[in-house]
């Protein structure tokens, strides 16, 4: 295999199959574009966002959604794949359930599609896994611009 060089838009890349993947941590409480610019990262070149186990505190729902929306608005119009284990108890004042995250994205006009629900009981010893804590995999995207052609 060949070596993977840092691209001008992403300082750290790794080879994945025929392509590359990069990562960049963002402080959700700060505007993402200045953070990226300061690090030499072109967030507009993002094609896919992978978010796993990101939001579990209610206070982080809006900052997380703000950050994802800023990246989704990039010139590549990426999608976000968000995997979440819903651990929040009904009525919790501290912990956010995925329903709250989905509601916030939808309130902002995003398309949110549940792609898969993984029953954790099927992934391990059922006595070790509490019921109701399934893994949820969502795809989140901005609404399609009416001037854009439909995607295939």
């Amino acid at each position: 295999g060949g070596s993977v060089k840092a691209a001008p838009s992403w300082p750290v890349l790794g080879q994945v199959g025929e392509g590359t993947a990069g990562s960049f941590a963002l402080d959700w409480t700060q505007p993402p574009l200045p953070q990226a610019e300061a690090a030499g990262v072109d967030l507009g070149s993002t094609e896919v966002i992978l978010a796993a186990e990101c939001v579990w505190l209610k206070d982080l729902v809006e900052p997380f959604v703000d950050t994802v929306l800023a990246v989704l608005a990039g010139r590549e119009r990426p999608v976000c794949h968000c995997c979440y284990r819903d651990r929040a108890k009904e009525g919790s004042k501290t912990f956010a359930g995925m329903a709250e995250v989905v509601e916030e994205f939808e309130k902002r006009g995003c398309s949110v599609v549940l792609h898969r629900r993984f029953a954790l009981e099927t992934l391990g010893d059922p006595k070790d896994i509490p019921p109701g804590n399934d893994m949820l995999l969502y795809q989140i995207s901005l609404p399609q611009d009416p001037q854009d052609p439909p995607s295939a």
Side-chain angles (χ1 to χ4, degrees):
S3 65
V4 178
K5 295 181 182 170
S9 62
W10 291 89
V12 178
L13 289 175
Q15 188 149 359
V16 178
E18 297 292 317
T20 57
S23 65
F24 181 66
L26 291 167
D27 177 347
W28 304 340
T29 65
Q30 301 297 316
L33 297 180
Q35 293 178 69
E37 288 171 7
V41 172
D42 175 11
L43 286 180
S45 69
T46 302
E47 295 176 4
V48 175
I49 301 168
L50 300 176
E53 294 293 312
C54 288
V55 181
W56 54 89
L57 296 174
K58 286 182 182 282
D59 291 347
L60 294 178
V61 172
E62 285 190 36
F64 173 71
V65 171
D66 290 342
T67 300
V68 171
L69 287 176
V71 180
L72 289 178
R75 69 182 171 277
E76 297 294 329
R77 298 291 283 205
V79 296
C80 176
H81 297 281
C82 184
C83 189
Y84 188 86
R85 183 173 174 193
D86 211 341
R87 296 179 179 93
K89 304 287 186 235
E90 186 71 33
S92 174
K93 301 225 183 294
T94 304
F95 299 104
M98 191 61 193
E100 293 171 75
V101 178
V102 168
E103 182 180 315
E104 188 64 27
F105 275 111
E106 288 177 339
K107 186 168 78 175
R108 312 264 194 109
C110 291
S111 166
V112 182
V113 177
L114 176 61
H115 270 289
R116 182 108 186 250
R117 175 183 298 270
F118 299 92
L120 292 183
E121 291 82 9
T122 65
L123 301 177
D125 189 339
K127 71 177 174 28
D128 296 333
I129 302 169
N133 288 317
D134 295 348
M135 292 292 290
L136 307 169
L137 177 61
Y138 287 89
Q139 179 176 308
I140 303 163
S141 58
L142 291 178
Q144 188 168 350
D145 186 325
Q147 297 174 338
D148 289 345
S151 48

